[in-house]
Amino acid sequence: MLYIFRTLTAAISIYSLLCIIRIFLTWIPGLSYSPFGRFLSSICDPFLNLFSGVRWLRFGAIDFSPIFALAVLSMASFILERLSRGTQISFAMILALVIETAWSIAAALILFLIIIVAIRLVVAWIGSDRNSSLWYQLDSSLSPFVYSITKLFSGGRPVAYKNALVFALVMLIVLRFGGGIVVGIILNACIRIPF
């Protein structure tokens, strides 16, 4: 039985690598339609497409569902790898794994947003964003998010876009580090669950 778990763990690792290659190939349209790209598409897209409709994994035109799909494969690989070593799987271990994986995805998304908001804020301060379609497109995706965060704390009063960016950046940084602390406390509590 341990051999089966080892084989499945190796298969998931290989499949994860193929999915990563497929994801990167989608960024290069010419390679996506090559014979190798079509082969990867035929074996990876059915799994990746299971997550593509998840609304909260989409930020404007950017789709984070591949990250979630890879996280699911990683969790499955972790569980099978533990089983291949003869480790008994407990509810506490599964719960901790799910929480840790969910936080890893959330932390990566928050970090991405911190970087995007910081870049946008620097460009807005420099003033080199006038008449640029790139910044217009970014703002059309970013401003609803930025204003929804700001609205929670501004009492509905109008806020200038630069100020909203500063506030959103600060709140994202607090969320990133505060969330890490809270998740650490929750994971420590999970370890104490007896079953």
Side-chain angles (χ1 to χ4, degrees), residues 9-32:
T9 302
I12 288 175
S13 296
I14 292 168
Y15 188 71
S16 296
L17 179 63
L18 292 175
C19 285
I20 290 168
I21 293 169
R22 169 63 183 148
I23 291 164
F24 283 123
L25 285 181
T26 61
W27 298 349
I28 308 166
L31 293 177
S32 285

Side-chain angles (χ1 to χ4, degrees), residues 16 110 143 173 180:
S16 296
I110 293 168
S143 62
I173 292 170

Side-chain angles (χ1 to χ4, degrees), residues 107 109-119 168-169 172-174 176-177:
L109 294 176
I110 293 168
L111 181 61
F112 175 77
L113 288 171
I114 287 171
I115 293 168
I116 295 297
V117 170
I119 290 171
L169 182 61
L172 286 167
I173 292 170
V174 167
R176 172 65 179 87
F177 291 106

Side-chain angles (χ1 to χ4, degrees), residues 101-165:
T101 302
W103 173 246
S104 295
I105 294 169
L109 294 176
I110 293 168
L111 181 61
F112 175 77
L113 288 171
I114 287 171
I115 293 168
I116 295 297
V117 170
I119 290 171
R120 182 61 187 109
L121 186 59
V122 168
V123 170
W125 272 338
I126 293 172
S128 62
D129 58 345
R130 296 186 181 108
N131 300 324
S132 172
S133 64
L134 170 69
W135 300 116
Y136 176 78
Q137 289 175 351
L138 181 64
D139 286 339
S140 65
S141 294
L142 199 58
S143 62
F145 169 76
V146 167
Y147 280 122
S148 66
I149 290 177
T150 307
K151 187 178 180 182
L152 293 172
F153 299 95
S154 70
R157 292 183 304 262
V159 178
Y161 189 56
K162 286 181 190 176
N163 294 340
L165 286 170

Side-chain angles (χ1 to χ4, degrees), residues 46-72 102 105 109:
F47 175 73
L48 294 173
N49 289 339
L50 292 174
F51 305 95
S52 65
V54 180
R55 211 171 119 215
W56 55 271
L57 291 173
R58 207 171 249 297
F59 178 72
I62 302 170
D63 183 12
F64 292 102
S65 64
I67 295 171
F68 190 76
L70 292 172
V72 168
I105 294 169
L109 294 176

